[in-house]
């Protein structure tokens, strides 16, 4: 079977929004769209009255209904449905490895509520070594937000760059996505200023920040040069300043079509982790977020 853009479906509004985004992306990549629903044999805490014979029926019906909608909105797109029994996060990680791209719904709402939902999506992002897109549900009253999430041309691609942990994978993903969409790329690098002591901390801080910014801007220019040559049609702007990376990325996401962040693919003593910046952006970004693992 040929590779496809796969979206994980669970019947939620978030997963349906993810299917719409994935359908647009599949058309741009000239690939089929695969709608994947995973169901397990464990107790269903959400619908405990459904018996084991009924649940497979709903597992088949739900992706079929979404497929019908995608065929109406994307008649030129090859759309497939697939159901599989197993542990959802494990099956979705397999899909991320087998297919071109995995797209999931994002339930991050910020605060305590945001930290309590979307456990399957977060587990997949933390465990897989392949890019995953998380798509939120847009405000139904905002046509601009809907256009950005559906991949409209008004939304730039925002890329967060960590100079201390270079990610060629995230750079290539962001540039390629902007190139396919005909969008501009905004590169953000936020750094924490060192603590200063002395009789005039304000003046000293200004001098140090100016010097550090100049050095980092030069490093960013050198880092981006090969990708500018590879994707000459992509307009690129760079912002380098002291501050908090997660806050700046979430702020930039308000006018973005996609936010791209890297994640170091490593195992912590307590298991795989996402990283504090990526975790915060996933929970608070109003735009879709691409998490791209790198060594």
């Amino acid at each position: 079977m040929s590779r496809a853009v796969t979206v994980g479906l669970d019947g939620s509004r978030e997963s349906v929004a993810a299917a719409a985004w994935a359908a647009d992306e599949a058309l741009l990549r000239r690939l089929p769209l695969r709608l994947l629903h995973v169901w397990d044999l464990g107790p269903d805490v959400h619908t405990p009255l459904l018996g084991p014979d009924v649940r497979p029926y709903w597992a088949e019906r739900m992706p079929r209904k979404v497929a019908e909608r995608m065929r109406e909105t994307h008649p030129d797109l090859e759309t497939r449905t697939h159901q599989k029994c197993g542990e959802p996060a494990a099956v979705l990680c397999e899909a991320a490895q087998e297919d071109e791209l995995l797209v999931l719904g994002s339930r991050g709402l910020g605060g305590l509520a945001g930290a309590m939902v979307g456990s399957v999506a977060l587990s997949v992002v933390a465990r897989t070594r392949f890019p995953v897109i998380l798509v939120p549900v847009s405000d139904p009253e905002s046509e601009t937000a809907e256009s950005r999430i559906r991949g409209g041309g008004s939304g730039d691609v925002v890329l967060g760059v960590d100079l201390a942990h270079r990610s060629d994978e995230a750079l290539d993903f962001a540039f390629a996505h902007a190139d396919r969409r005909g969008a501009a790329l905004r590169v953000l690098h936020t750094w924490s200023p060192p603590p200063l002591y002395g009789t005039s901390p304000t003046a000293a801080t200004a001098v140090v920040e100016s010097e550090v910014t100049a050095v980092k801007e030069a490093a960013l220019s050198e880092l981006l040069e090969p990708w500018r040559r590879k994707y000459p049609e992509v307009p690129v702007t760079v912002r380098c300043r002291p501050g908090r990376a997660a806050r700046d990325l979430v702020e930039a996401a308000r006018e973005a079509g996609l936010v791209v962040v890297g994640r170091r693919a490593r195992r912590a003593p307590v298991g795989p982790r996402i990283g504090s910046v990526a975790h915060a952006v996933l929970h608070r970004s109003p735009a879709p977020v691409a998490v791209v693992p790198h060594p």
Side-chain angles (χ1 to χ4, degrees), residues 15-264:
S15 71
V16 175
W21 192 97
D24 291 340
E25 186 68 12
L27 274 178
L28 287 173
R29 293 178 180 237
R30 300 182 180 180
L31 292 172
L33 174 69
R34 181 166 76 119
L35 304 175
L36 173 62
H37 176 64
V38 185
W39 56 283
D40 58 50
L41 297 177
D44 191 333
V45 297
H46 300 292
T47 54
L49 298 181
L50 294 182
D53 295 333
V54 178
R55 287 167 63 189
Y57 164 77
W58 287 104
E60 183 277 333
R61 181 179 183 274
M62 185 262 294
R64 175 167 50 84
K65 289 294 185 182
V66 177
E68 291 173 359
R69 181 184 304 183
M70 294 302 104
R71 291 182 181 117
E72 291 176 357
T73 58
H74 300 75
D76 297 328
L77 177 65
E78 178 186 348
T79 302
R80 309 165 178 166
T81 61
H82 187 199
Q83 302 84 42
K84 190 168 184 178
C85 180
E87 196 273 310
V91 174
L92 291 170
C93 283
E94 291 177 3
Q97 179 176 354
E98 295 169 356
D99 286 330
E100 192 74 15
L101 184 66
L102 177 65
V103 184
L104 303 174
S106 170
R107 299 182 183 181
L109 301 176
L112 182 59
M116 295 174 63
V117 295
S119 59
V120 171
L122 290 177
S123 178
V124 173
V125 169
R127 291 161 59 180
T128 185
R129 294 182 179 270
F130 299 88
V132 179
I133 308 283
L134 271 70
V135 180
V137 173
S138 65
D139 181 355
E141 301 298 325
S142 173
E143 294 183 2
T144 302
E146 178 66 19
S147 175
R148 290 202 309 271
I149 288 181
R150 286 297 306 279
S154 60
D156 295 343
V157 178
V158 172
L159 169 64
V161 171
D162 181 357
L163 286 173
H165 303 98
R166 170 174 173 158
S167 173
D168 289 346
E169 293 81 0
L171 282 161
D172 193 62
F173 190 97
F175 270 90
H177 185 86
D179 191 52
R180 278 192 302 272
R181 300 271 179 168
L185 176 63
R186 287 186 281 150
V187 179
L188 274 59
H189 174 65
T190 304
W191 52 279
S192 300
L196 296 174
Y197 304 92
T199 58
S200 181
T202 302
T205 299
V207 171
V208 171
E209 286 186 359
S210 177
E211 293 176 349
V212 172
T213 298
V215 171
K216 288 183 174 290
E217 286 178 344
L220 278 171
S221 179
E222 181 180 355
L223 177 67
L224 295 173
E225 182 58 29
W227 309 103
R228 290 179 187 267
R229 293 197 304 267
K230 184 177 179 180
Y231 298 96
E233 301 300 322
V234 176
V236 181
T237 59
V238 179
R239 190 179 73 181
C240 175
R241 70 179 189 184
R244 298 178 61 183
R247 181 187 62 191
D248 286 354
L249 285 169
V250 171
E251 179 183 344
R254 295 174 184 171
E255 301 298 329
L258 181 72
V259 178
V260 181
V261 293
R263 178 185 71 81
R264 280 183 286 170

